[in-house]
Amino acid sequence: MNTPDILTPELINPLTYQSFKKLIDELVANNQTTGPEQTEERIGYTRLNQQRMKRVEKQFSINPNLLAALQQPRPEWHWVVLVESWCGDGAQQLPALAAIADAVPTIELTIILRDENPAWMDTCLTNGSRAIPKLICLNAETNERLFTWGPRPLAILEQVLHFKEENPNATKEEIGTLVHMLYAKDRSQSLQQDLLRLVLSAIPVAEEAEGGVL
C-alpha cells in the first residue's frame, strides 16, 4: 500500500447523509439539480436518483465480514464522499456507504459536492477524469489518507467494460440501462467486497500509526 497522504483542504458546504437527502428533495421539488449545468437531462437524473436512493435504502444489508473488519480496534475514520445529485452511480452507492457508517460508531461520513470542492476532487481523479462518486477514507485524528474508492465497484466495472468491448456501438442509454440493471441485481455486494479488501489493507497501517510506529 502506498504511503498515506496528508489531505486537509477546506470542506466546502459539507453535508450529512440526511441533509443530502433533504437537498435532493428540495431540488426535485424545484425542478433543479446540483452544479452549474441546470440541464433538463441532469434535472431528470436527480429525480430518478431520488427514487434509486430510496430503493437501495430498503434493500441494503451489511456484509457481516465487512462489519466485523470495521469493528476491529483502530483509530476513528472520516469518510469523505464526493458526489452530485445527478450522478447515477452516486445514488446507487451513497445509501450503502451511509448505512455502513451508521452501523460503525468509529466512522464519520461527510458528503461534499464535486463541483464545489475541486481541491478534493483533483486528488482522486480516474484516468484524468473527475468521475464520481469517490470515497476518501482518512484517519480522523491525523488526516492521513488510508484509501480511496470509486467511482464504481470493480465487479460491475468489469462487466460494463466487457459489454462495451462486445458492443462497440452501444449507446449511452444502453450502457446506462445495463449499469443500473447490474446494480439492482448486485444489491451493494460488490461495493462491500471492494471495501472489505481496502479496510483489511488499511487497518494494519492505522494500528501502526496509533502505536507510534512509522
Side-chain angles (χ1 to χ4, degrees), residues 60-71 189 192-193 196:
F60 181 77
S61 177
I62 194 164
N63 182 310
N65 294 328
L66 175 60
L67 181 60
L70 288 169
Q71 290 175 333
Q189 291 307 306
Q192 294 188 81
Q193 288 297 329
L196 179 58

Side-chain angles (χ1 to χ4, degrees), residues 20 81-85 87 90-91 94 111-114 132-133:
F20 181 77
V81 180
L82 290 133
V83 73
E84 294 282 347
S85 70
C87 175
L94 195 52
I111 299 163
I112 54 176
L113 299 180
R114 180 194 71 174
I132 49 176

Side-chain angles (χ1 to χ4, degrees), residues 36-177:
E37 296 183 33
Q38 294 293 314
T39 63
E40 286 301 319
E41 182 180 45
R42 289 194 170 184
I43 291 169
Y45 288 151
T46 296
R47 189 175 299 108
L48 270 175
N49 289 340
Q50 182 188 47
Q51 300 307 313
R52 286 170 175 154
M53 290 172 64
K54 291 177 180 178
R55 183 165 58 248
V56 174
E57 286 179 344
K58 292 178 180 178
Q59 296 177 343
F60 181 77
S61 177
I62 194 164
N63 182 310
N65 294 328
L66 175 60
L67 181 60
L70 288 169
Q71 290 175 333
Q72 293 184 44
R74 56 171 172 74
E76 293 190 0
W77 284 358
H78 186 193
W79 282 6
V80 178
V81 180
L82 290 133
V83 73
E84 294 282 347
S85 70
W86 44 262
C87 175
D89 287 284
Q92 298 283 5
Q93 314 299 340
L94 195 52
L97 294 173
I100 294 166
D102 190 55
V104 182
T106 53
I107 295 177
E108 176 189 3
L109 176 69
T110 300
I111 299 163
I112 54 176
L113 299 180
R114 180 194 71 174
D115 294 341
E116 294 181 357
N117 290 271
W120 285 86
M121 185 70 251
D122 289 347
T123 67
C124 54
L125 301 178
T126 302
N127 299 323
S129 72
R130 292 181 168 183
I132 49 176
K134 276 296 180 75
L135 163 64
I136 300 171
C137 176
L138 304 171
N139 180 311
E141 181 177 349
T142 66
N143 280 324
E144 288 179 322
R145 186 186 301 204
L146 303 177
F147 63 80
T148 301
W149 176 89
R152 189 171 282 171
L154 180 60
I156 290 179
L157 175 62
E158 289 175 344
Q159 292 179 77
V160 173
L161 291 175
H162 179 73
F163 176 80
K164 289 180 177 180
E165 290 174 359
E166 295 292 317
N167 302 274
N169 297 319
T171 65
K172 177 182 176 181
E173 289 73 20
E174 289 171 335
I175 295 169
T177 297

